[in-house]
């Protein structure tokens, strides 16, 4: 605590910042790290560095698939078809309350609310950039670098607001805060604004891959992600679900935006060709190896100062009897999606497959899912209903802390962490990895009818995952391959719910259905429902409402139509 340099190294190295109260308690006379403090912050480059570090705290709001105020890790995947939250009670089971009734979403309660948090961060960023211009004594090189990092975080923050609402208020500078009444911009304008921030960051940041800091590759990757969202909405929305004049993107822009996504993704591929990134041959190790070249942007944790509790939330009960929480577990709909080792589709109607359903499956399956008979931490899992960590029927207990599908989520668990109750967890959260960039590239190639190239990109990924090549010569067929790969490759990384929304397939996949699991009966597997009522997703949920309190405070802000 006596050495400011040590504090700075800790903050920069882990990207995780102490609260304001921490600095007050220690009475260190430096500016608040995530708040604008007049000219003082510009008197010392170290203070500016602290401020920039503070901006990166925004990524903690979404680490491990978290969503602010909504359950726990993997919360949005549990709103999709690949994960089932186990609890029925508010808090642990809020996700289940939302997915079972679309009417739970309203302007009064929203359900997915990031508006206040997001705009607070945007204000901090705009204050910082205003100070860079008007008060900073930093060199021009430092100013550009810090602006690039700030705009990277602002782009990320706006990206999340757009995922939710589709039309939001754009605040680019402090002058816009002089008038509290600001109207929403169009969806097209918003995506272009985000792209502009990421493009600026990509142009002005270095290539060095640093944990928890924006780099050229991370900015290009986020730019590719931004354009693929805009392109897929332009292609698929077609004003079918919302009459708001500011939502939706002209279908005519789809090819242009797919091209933009392809160009940004290819910039990352070029960096990979220089040796900066690569696909990891050992899929399971990606999520526990801090040196993996798949990580383009990651958040690191270092014990004992900065840890998380992912293992406590998802490990099977016998890992820490009486302590594990088992928030969510894989669905049968995800398990069935994983192929056989030879690339053929798995099917329960195939007698060879059903006789031994977890034999000879693709490598990603064994890295993602724990099943009955799996070996884990030196034991063989017995997930029969009568076992202490075996199957329990959903809704038979408020917080069962056991699987309700016959599976546990293995991906991202640390197999070497046998004392996570005391020591907690330190595996990194990878916000963006190279495999996602390749899948964005393949989707963009398909969107521009470069079908041969798209299939080649998909096969590049499949080859590294130990799978044979696939083939399709139709756009629909290639997109089906992309959707399959995203479902299994990116499972539990917080993409599936948002993918279904941007493809405008959520109302088809997530409505009027009950997802399932497999209960081991002693000699065979029985399909069991993991839901006690039908799921509900209506077209209105593609554009979620702005919190009503925000509309009341802002005379120029109109609620999204339909809400």
């Amino acid at each position: 605590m006596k050495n400011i340099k040590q504090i700075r190294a800790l903050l920069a190295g882990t990207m995780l910042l102490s609260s304001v109260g921490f600095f007050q308690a220690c009475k260190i006379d430096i500016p608040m790290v995530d708040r604008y403090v007049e000219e003082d912050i510009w008197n010392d480059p170290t203070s500016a560095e602290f401020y920039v570090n503070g901006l990166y705290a925004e990524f903690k709001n979404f680490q491990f698939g978290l969503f602010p105020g909504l359950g726990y890790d993997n919360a949005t995947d549990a709103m999709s078809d690949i994960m089932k939250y186990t609890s029925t009670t508010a808090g642990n089971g809020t996700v289940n309350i939302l997915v079972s009734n679309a009417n739970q979403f309203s302007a009064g309660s929203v359900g997915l609310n990031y508006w206040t948090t997001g705009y607070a961060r945007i204000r901090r960023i705009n204050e910082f950039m205003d100070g860079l211009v008007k008060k900073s004594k930093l060199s021009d090189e430092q100013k550009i670098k810090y602006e690039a990092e700030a705009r990277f975080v602002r782009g990320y923050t706006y990206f999340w607001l757009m995922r939710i609402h589709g039309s939001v208020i754009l605040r680019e500078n402090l002058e816009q805060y002089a008038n509290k009444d600001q109207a929403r911009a169009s969806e097209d304008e918003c995506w272009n604004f985000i792209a502009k921030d990421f493009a600026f960051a990509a142009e002005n940041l270095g290539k060095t891959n640093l944990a928890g800091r924006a780099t050229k590759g991370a900015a290009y990757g986020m730019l590719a992600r931004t354009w693929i969202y805009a392109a897929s909405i332009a292609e698929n929305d077609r004003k079918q679900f919302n009459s708001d004049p500011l939502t939706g993107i002209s279908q005519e822009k789809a090819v242009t935006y797919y091209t933009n996504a392809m160009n940004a993704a290819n910039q990352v591929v070029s960096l990979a060709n220089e040796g900066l990134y690569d696909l990891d041959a050992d899929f399971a190790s990606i999520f526990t190896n801090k040196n993996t070249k798949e990580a383009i942007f990651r958040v690191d944790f270092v014990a004992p100062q900065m840890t998380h509790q992912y293992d406590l939330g998802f490990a099977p009960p016998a890992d820490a009897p009486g302590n594990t929480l088992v928030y969510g577990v894989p669905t049968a709909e995800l398990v069935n999606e994983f192929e056989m080792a030879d690339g053929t589709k798995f099917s329960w109607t195939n007698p060879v497959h059903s006789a031994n359903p977890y034999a000879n499956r693709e490598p990603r399956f064994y890295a993602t899912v724990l099943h009955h008979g799996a070996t884990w931490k030196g034991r063989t899992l017995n997930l029969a209903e009568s076992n202490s960590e075996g199957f329990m029927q959903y809704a038979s207990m408020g917080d069962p802390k056991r699987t309700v599908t016959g599976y546990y989520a293995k991906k991202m668990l640390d197999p070497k962490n046998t004392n996570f109750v005391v020591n907690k967890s330190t595996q990194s959260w990878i916000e963006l990895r190279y495999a996602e960039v390749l899948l964005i590239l393949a989707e963009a190639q398909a969107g521009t009818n470069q079908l041969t190239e798209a299939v080649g990109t998909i096969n590049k990924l499949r080859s590294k995952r130990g799978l044979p090549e696939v083939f399709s010569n139709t756009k629909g067929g290639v997109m089906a391959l992309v959707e399959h790969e995203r479902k299994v490759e990116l499972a539990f990384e917080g993409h599936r719910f948002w993918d279904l929304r941007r493809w405008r397939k959520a109302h088809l996949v997530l409505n009027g259905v009950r997802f399932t699991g497999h209960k081991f009966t002693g000699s065979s597997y029985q399909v069991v429902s993991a839901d006690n009522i039908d799921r509900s997703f209506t077209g209105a949920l593609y554009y979620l409402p702005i919190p009503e309190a925000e509309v009341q405070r802002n005379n120029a802000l109109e609620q999204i139509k339909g809400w």
Side-chain angles (χ1 to χ4, degrees):
M1 295 300 300
K2 295 179 181 179
N3 192 326
I4 299 297
K5 291 183 179 179
Q6 289 179 340
I7 296 176
R8 181 184 177 195
L10 173 61
L11 296 180
T14 65
M15 199 207 73
L16 300 171
L17 301 174
S18 303
S19 68
V20 172
F22 174 88
F23 286 100
Q24 290 174 334
C26 295
K27 297 181 180 179
I28 298 175
D29 189 18
I30 60 174
M32 298 303 99
V33 297
D34 66 345
R35 296 170 187 256
Y36 183 74
V37 189
E38 301 302 331
E39 288 86 358
D40 290 345
I41 193 171
W42 307 115
N43 292 334
D44 180 4
T46 299
S47 298
E49 180 76 7
F50 278 143
Y51 199 124
V52 173
N53 286 341
L55 301 180
Y56 283 106
E58 204 59 33
F59 289 88
K60 281 183 58 60
N61 282 323
F62 303 100
Q63 66 187 27
F64 295 100
L66 186 70
F67 188 91
L70 178 65
Y72 303 92
D73 298 329
N74 282 330
T76 59
D77 273 343
M79 297 183 73
S80 77
D81 56 342
I82 66 173
M83 173 167 276
K84 172 66 182 179
Y85 256 36
T86 62
S87 174
T88 61
T89 62
N92 291 6
T94 297
V95 169
N96 289 324
I97 295 172
L98 291 175
V99 301
S100 64
N101 186 355
N103 293 327
Q104 292 289 334
F105 293 87
S106 70
S109 62
V110 182
L112 293 176
N113 188 354
Y114 175 59
W115 189 278
T116 301
T117 301
Y119 277 103
R121 177 62 63 193
I122 290 165
R123 169 119 193 184
R124 297 278 181 261
I125 293 168
N126 287 336
E127 288 172 341
F128 176 74
M129 291 196 297
D130 186 75
L132 275 177
V133 173
K134 297 177 181 178
K135 301 180 177 71
S136 175
K137 297 178 182 180
L138 301 172
S139 68
D140 289 344
E141 183 180 0
Q142 287 175 312
K143 288 180 183 179
I144 290 292
K145 176 180 178 295
Y146 284 144
E147 181 183 355
E149 290 189 81
R151 291 179 68 171
F152 178 87
V153 181
R154 188 173 70 178
Y156 181 78
T157 305
Y158 265 119
F159 179 86
W160 270 101
L161 287 167
M162 284 297 293
R163 263 181 165 179
I164 301 164
H165 304 292
S167 168
V168 298
I169 299 169
L170 295 179
R171 296 187 185 273
E172 188 172 8
N173 53 59
L174 278 190
E175 284 71 24
Q176 292 174 307
Y177 292 87
N179 181 3
K180 74 175 182 65
D181 297 328
Q182 297 280 326
R184 289 185 283 122
S186 73
E187 182 161 13
D188 198 9
E189 290 173 319
C190 291
W191 286 118
N192 276 274
F193 181 87
I194 296 168
K196 186 178 177 181
D197 270 352
F198 284 134
F200 182 89
E203 183 178 349
N204 292 288
L205 290 172
K207 297 179 182 180
T208 304
N209 199 10
L210 301 172
R213 297 301 288 257
T215 62
K216 187 177 293 292
Y220 274 124
M222 292 293 189
L223 181 60
R225 187 190 280 181
T226 298
W227 283 125
I228 207 67
Y229 267 72
S232 54
I233 290 167
E235 179 168 8
N236 299 307
D237 183 70
R238 306 180 190 182
K239 298 299 292 183
Q240 301 172 79
F241 309 100
N242 191 286
S243 61
D244 192 291
L246 296 176
T247 61
I249 301 173
S250 170
Q251 191 178 356
E252 296 174 352
K253 295 187 176 183
V255 172
T256 297
Y257 291 171
Y258 278 127
T259 301
N260 292 347
M262 182 168 54
N263 291 340
N266 274 324
Q267 291 288 342
V268 182
V269 173
S270 294
L271 294 172
N273 291 338
E274 294 178 21
L276 202 59
Y277 311 117
D278 199 1
L279 294 172
D280 200 318
D282 185 353
F283 184 75
S285 73
I286 293 170
F287 308 98
T288 56
N289 174 18
K290 294 184 186 298
N291 296 316
T292 178
K293 282 193 171 185
E294 281 219 22
I296 297 175
F297 186 87
R298 75 178 193 271
V299 178
D300 278 352
F301 298 83
V302 180
Q305 298 97 332
M306 303 309 304
T307 57
H308 58 83
Q309 300 196 70
Y310 187 85
D311 293 272
L312 183 68
F314 291 89
D319 279 20
N323 289 292
T324 58
L325 302 173
V326 194
Y327 293 137
V329 291
T331 62
E333 284 69 26
L334 173 64
V335 169
N336 294 345
E337 192 78 14
F338 288 95
E339 299 169 22
M340 302 299 291
D342 63 3
T344 57
K345 291 187 178 299
F346 172 83
S347 174
W348 285 94
T349 62
N350 183 318
V352 176
H353 294 177
S354 61
N356 197 354
Y358 310 125
N360 301 315
R361 302 290 286 272
E362 63 162 293
R364 289 179 297 194
F365 170 76
Y366 299 109
T368 305
V369 176
L370 289 170
H371 56 84
H372 177 76
T375 300
W376 175 246
K377 291 186 177 179
R379 69 184 188 276
T380 300
L381 295 183
N382 180 356
L383 304 188
E385 191 169 14
S386 59
N387 190 267
S388 61
E389 61 182 347
F391 171 83
M392 179 178 287
Q393 185 65 49
Y394 175 69
S396 63
M397 181 181 293
D399 286 296
K401 300 180 181 179
R402 281 166 58 178
T403 179
V404 296
T405 63
Y407 303 103
Y408 290 97
K410 180 180 181 181
K411 189 178 189 178
M412 294 187 289
L413 293 180
D414 184 352
K416 297 181 180 179
N417 190 347
T418 58
N419 197 14
F420 52 76
V421 175
V422 174
N423 297 333
K424 300 186 180 179
S425 303
T426 59
Q427 57 268 46
S428 299
W429 162 245
I430 303 176
E431 170 64 38
L432 177 70
R433 62 187 178 94
Y434 190 47
E436 182 196 345
V437 172
L438 290 180
L439 289 171
I440 291 171
L441 176 59
E443 184 174 347
Q445 289 167 330
T448 54
N449 284 309
Q450 299 181 48
L451 304 182
T452 301
E453 291 81 357
V455 171
T457 302
I458 293 169
N459 284 331
K460 178 180 180 180
L461 174 63
R462 287 177 60 86
S463 175
K464 206 70 172 184
R465 301 302 183 234
L467 287 165
E469 292 186 350
V470 290
F471 173 76
S472 178
N473 58 5
T474 66
K475 184 177 179 180
V478 174
M479 273 305 301
L481 296 175
V482 169
E483 292 174 21
H484 163 78
E485 290 297 327
R486 286 188 68 93
K487 186 175 181 179
V488 297
E489 174 75 26
L490 304 178
F492 311 148
E493 296 179 53
H495 293 279
R496 179 63 177 170
F497 177 69
W498 308 104
D499 280 347
L500 289 172
R501 287 176 85 247
R502 69 183 176 87
W503 292 327
R504 298 302 190 250
K505 290 189 172 184
H507 68 289
L508 302 174
V509 176
L510 306 179
N511 188 56
V513 296
R514 300 187 187 191
F515 296 125
T516 62
H518 295 122
K519 178 175 71 173
F520 181 65
T521 63
S523 59
S524 62
Y525 293 88
Q526 176 186 344
V527 177
V528 290
S529 178
D531 291 317
N532 58 343
I533 58 176
D534 287 355
R535 297 213 174 192
S536 176
F537 190 103
T538 63
L541 298 188
Y542 287 120
Y543 293 103
L544 293 176
I546 297 166
E548 188 59 36
E550 301 295 336
V551 177
Q552 292 174 356
R553 278 193 288 263
N554 184 340
N555 293 326
L557 181 60
E558 294 187 5
Q559 183 60 267
I560 294 172
K561 284 191 181 299
W563 297 99

